Amino acid sequence: MPDFLQSRGFSRTLPLVLFALAAAIPFGLSDYDTNLVARFLAMGIVALGIVLTWGHGGILSLGQGVFFGLGGYAIAMHIKLADLAEGEIPDFMQWSGRTALPFWWEPFHSPVFALAAALVGPALVAALFAWAVFHRRVSGTYFALITQALALAFATLIISRQDVTGGFNGLTNFTSIFGFLFAGPGMASALYWITLGALALSWLGLRWLLGSRFGTVLRAARDGENRVRFLGYDPVPFKVAAFALAAMLSGLGGALFTLNAGVISPALIGVAPSIEMVVWVAIGGRTSLGGAIFGALAVNLARDAISSSFPEGWLYVMGALFILVVTLFPQGLAGLLSSRSGKRGENPA
Amino acid sequence: MSALLHVDAVTVDYGGFKALDGFSLDLAQGETRVVIGPNGAGKSTLCDTIIGRVRPTHGAIRFMGEDISRLSEPAIVARGICRKFQAPGVLPSLTVQDNMALAARTDRRWWKALSHGIPAAERAFVAETLDRVGLAARAGTPAGELSHGEKQWLEIGMVLATRAQVILLDEPTAGMGPAETRATAELVRELGTSRTVLVIDHDMSFVEQLEAPVTVMHQGRLLASGTLDEVRADREVAAVYLGHTA
Ligand SMILES: Nc1ncnc2c1ncn2[C@@H]1O[C@H](COP(=O)(O)OP(=O)(O)OP(=O)(O)O)[C@@H](O)[C@H]1O
Ligand SMILES: [Mg+2]
């Protein structure tokens, strides 16, 4: 690898260059393609959260789809309500024979509540859940299984309560958000830039956090939870905070994905999508923020290309990719790059 | 004389097998004590019980008069007791300096960790402790890349850095050559001037260099205690050692 690729200046300017290139995409691509990339960027935010919990915290969650869903449904519920005339209820509720809005839909009339719910909701649920589980010193494997069960239960619940959740079809047919029409001119670009901005801010925030002493303790607990305890730390709050923040990022990603895609449904948040989220990160490199974004983009692009021409094949391709990466390159593509360049230690960038 | 740490008739029962069997031990403030015994005697279990990794089935651990045997592990460390594990417990992906800084932190609450670098108040202390265990030149190396002896020193340093009053060292010289062992003995003797130290080791030349009172354990019980020469002359001790490790 040429020297300039390893220089400090290069590693500082590379993210800026990539950001500038990404920001120019709406000028170069069609609205359709811009929108596609925006969805993948939203997935990248989810992947960043997984780097925090799994890569640096050693907490493997196979249920990030739940938090993605909480974020997505929160924003979708607001859009459905905002599209209604006075006294109306959402279309799918009428079709299932309901005549009144469930009480827990009411607060989503408020855009502020919906936005807060999309971020704080997942974080709160995750914190309570993680606190209960980590206090019992549940092992990593059991934690992964419990989160997977959670994803299954959540998707099943949504499907079974068609009359209040939209069921299998999810929530879709959006008209406008905060008064802006989804089909309006420039809307695809605007949503794209918002998503890109959220991704960049999440990346910056996590870079800061992983470089802080909090990140050090988190990695220490990952490598030797007992050692950390016997040095006088309680690792539980560190792990709970990391898991809650990852859930918040997942919720943010879910909300932005929903805005860009115009739909949120159980098929996007259940067991298989939750595992897929981990696969992006495994491929990109579980301790590398940049790697995770790259993994999310690359896998989703490949998915888009493959599943349009060969719909049944995608799951096999992903499974094979996952096994290949985990067995051959446990640190993912980022690990491959840094071992080539002879870098030591973990580079959270 | 009241003991600083009082292990009071502690039994640890692993489903019928008693790793500690009504074992008692007093450590006076400022004392250095060596605990020896054949493999499986219960030495590591004694440490486990003191630091709260294992809960006694019977008996109590009293520190400054207070029963600490039901406290959480971090709470016991906060009282001022810290232990070096038999298998070195350094954190491999952290640098030597980060390991030390982690141990040296005085405020261990999570939101106090939300900033970068070593707090100014702790920086000199971290550097000084690194220097004390001879690892100042290795500060930036990931701990996983240290030699076995260096890992032992780093962990001893980390235990010191917690500012613990009572230090438990479980086989600090395992895997060290004679020169490293001598340096470790020197370090432990120096620690003994300011802290209360309990040392477990199999290496008799190391134990000799410590010149400290010795307690011999066997099958979870106290077998003998006295100076090294006294316990060496003890017929029961000789029988146990010949029977188990000769
Ligand atoms: N968790 C456990 N469950 C069952 N038995 C255990 C457990 N931990 C230790 N033991 C047993 O208790 C006995 C004492 O073990 P301990 O590790 O305290 O010995 P030790 O004196 O430190 O020995 P060594 O010199 O080999 O380190 C051993 O027979 C061991 O097998
Ligand atoms: Mg032992």
Side-chain angles (χ1 to χ4, degrees):
Chain A
M1 198 177 279
D3 272 352
F4 77 91
L5 280 182
Q6 285 142 52
S7 71
R8 201 172 169 77
F10 181 75
S11 73
R12 289 243 169 121
T13 43
L14 179 66
L16 274 175
V17 171
L18 289 177
F19 180 77
L21 280 176
I25 275 187
F27 301 113
L29 296 186
S30 67
D31 270 7
Y32 177 86
D33 286 330
T34 299
N35 176 266
L36 200 65
V37 179
R39 290 182 213 178
F40 300 163
L41 293 177
M43 303 296 205
I45 299 176
V46 179
L48 288 177
I50 297 176
V51 169
L52 172 66
T53 51
W54 184 38
H56 292 258
I59 308 159
L60 175 59
S61 164
L62 298 178
Q64 292 308 94
V66 171
F67 309 119
F68 183 88
L70 287 173
Y73 273 95
I75 212 76
M77 285 162 74
H78 171 70
I79 299 170
K80 291 305 277 183
L81 293 178
D83 286 347
L84 298 175
E86 188 69 33
E88 262 187 345
I89 62 171
D91 45 11
F92 67 90
M93 289 190 188
Q94 298 171 28
W95 302 332
S96 344
R98 278 195 81 95
T99 51
L101 200 64
F103 72 92
W104 53 273
W105 269 73
E106 292 291 350
F108 288 88
H109 278 294
S110 148
V112 177
F113 179 87
L115 274 178
L119 296 177
V120 181
L124 216 58
V125 171
L128 289 173
F129 169 76
W131 192 82
V133 176
F134 291 145
H135 259 275
R136 295 195 169 76
R137 303 205 182 166
V138 169
S139 84
T141 319
Y142 282 103
F143 185 81
L145 287 176
I146 298 171
T147 52
Q148 178 151 75
L150 209 63
L152 182 65
F154 187 55
T156 310
L157 179 74
I158 288 179
I159 294 173
S160 69
R161 292 303 310 272
Q162 159 107 38
D163 58 329
V164 289
T165 64
F168 189 78
N169 300 323
L171 300 178
T172 186
N173 295 328
F174 301 159
T175 313
S176 66
I177 172 100
F178 306 151
F180 296 99
L181 291 174
F182 279 102
M187 189 61 167
S189 306
L191 284 175
Y192 174 91
W193 282 316
I194 289 170
T195 309
L196 179 65
L199 177 70
L201 286 177
S202 305
W203 180 80
L204 279 171
L206 283 187
R207 238 178 93 94
W208 182 88
L209 185 70
L210 292 175
S212 76
R213 298 196 296 270
F214 181 93
T216 309
V217 179
L218 198 62
R219 286 185 289 277
R222 173 196 68 191
D223 295 343
E225 185 157 353
N226 265 330
R227 187 63 234 165
V228 168
R229 265 203 191 98
F230 295 118
L231 284 175
Y233 289 86
D234 183 359
V236 172
F238 288 87
K239 291 167 70 178
V240 170
F243 190 68
L245 184 55
M248 185 189 266
L249 291 172
S250 207
L252 175 62
L256 290 167
F257 175 89
T258 303
L259 291 176
N260 283 292
V263 60
I264 183 76
S265 79
L268 294 163
I269 67 176
V271 172
S274 295
I275 293 177
E276 217 171 298
M277 292 167 185
V278 173
V279 175
W280 307 333
V281 177
I283 288 175
R286 71 173 85 154
T287 59
S288 159
L289 296 172
I293 296 175
F294 178 81
L297 288 174
V299 175
N300 278 296
L301 277 170
R303 180 207 181 106
D304 193 65
I306 292 169
S307 59
S308 57
S309 56
F310 181 32
E312 303 296 303
W314 171 244
L315 273 179
Y316 295 102
V317 172
M318 196 186 65
L321 249 170
F322 182 56
I323 292 170
L324 217 72
V325 166
V326 169
T327 51
L328 295 181
F329 321 113
Q331 291 305 315
L333 294 174
L336 206 62
L337 281 181
S338 65
S339 70
R340 279 273 169 77
S341 64
K343 251 193 291 182
R344 282 188 316 195
E346 286 169 81
N347 179 9
Chain B
M1 180 193 72
S2 78
L4 178 65
L5 183 73
H6 181 46
V7 176
D8 188 4
V10 167
T11 296
V12 170
D13 193 324
Y14 287 123
F17 172 78
K18 288 181 172 137
L20 286 182
D21 190 0
F23 184 81
S24 295
L25 177 89
D26 279 351
L27 277 184
Q29 171 113 39
E31 179 183 8
T32 297
R33 176 78 60 92
V34 177
V35 174
I36 60 172
N39 292 112
K43 307 179 298 292
S44 294
T45 307
L46 173 65
C47 293
D48 285 342
T49 318
I50 296 172
I51 59 162
R53 187 185 193 190
V54 164
R55 305 294 170 184
T57 320
H58 298 292
I61 311 280
R62 274 179 247 287
F63 180 64
M64 305 204 292
E66 180 197 9
D67 184 0
I68 58 167
S69 58
R70 303 283 163 233
L71 295 180
S72 73
E73 304 93 325
I76 293 173
V77 178
R79 295 287 194 287
I81 304 176
C82 195
R83 175 224 193 146
K84 191 203 87 63
F85 284 84
Q86 187 168 341
V90 298
L91 298 152
S93 65
L94 269 48
T95 63
V96 168
Q97 170 158 294
D98 279 347
N99 268 278
M100 197 62 87
L102 187 75
R105 198 128 317 136
T106 42
D107 194 332
R108 305 187 183 98
R109 289 170 299 180
W110 70 272
W111 63 89
K112 293 290 184 177
L114 293 174
S115 62
H116 283 226
I118 305 172
E122 293 167 15
R123 219 168 284 151
F125 178 64
V126 168
E128 181 192 307
T129 315
L130 277 174
D131 203 40
R132 206 165 169 189
V133 293
L135 290 172
R138 305 284 264 153
T141 309
E145 294 178 13
L146 296 180
S147 75
H148 196 77
E150 286 174 321
K151 281 183 189 156
Q152 300 273 42
W153 279 333
L154 175 56
E155 199 183 2
I156 296 173
M158 288 163 73
V159 170
L160 285 181
T162 64
R163 301 166 180 83
Q165 270 192 74
V166 175
I167 289 173
L168 315 177
L169 302 174
D170 197 348
E171 305 206 8
T173 67
M176 287 186 184
E180 287 178 309
T181 300
R182 261 196 307 281
T184 309
E186 187 97 350
L187 177 64
V188 173
R189 287 178 58 138
E190 186 207 317
L191 292 183
T193 62
S194 57
R195 323 241 188 158
T196 306
V197 187
L198 186 141
V199 191
I200 294 171
D201 220 289
H202 283 293
D203 181 343
M204 284 304 146
S205 73
F206 173 64
V207 173
E208 257 166 28
Q209 292 170 57
L210 294 179
E211 296 175 339
V214 176
T215 294
V216 187
M217 288 180 77
H218 178 49
Q219 296 181 339
R221 279 189 289 254
L222 178 80
L223 188 66
S225 58
T227 65
L228 184 59
D229 290 333
E230 280 164 16
V231 301
R232 266 181 169 159
D234 189 297
R235 296 228 323 269
E236 274 188 278
V237 173
V240 161
Y241 268 94
L242 287 176
H244 286 79
T245 58

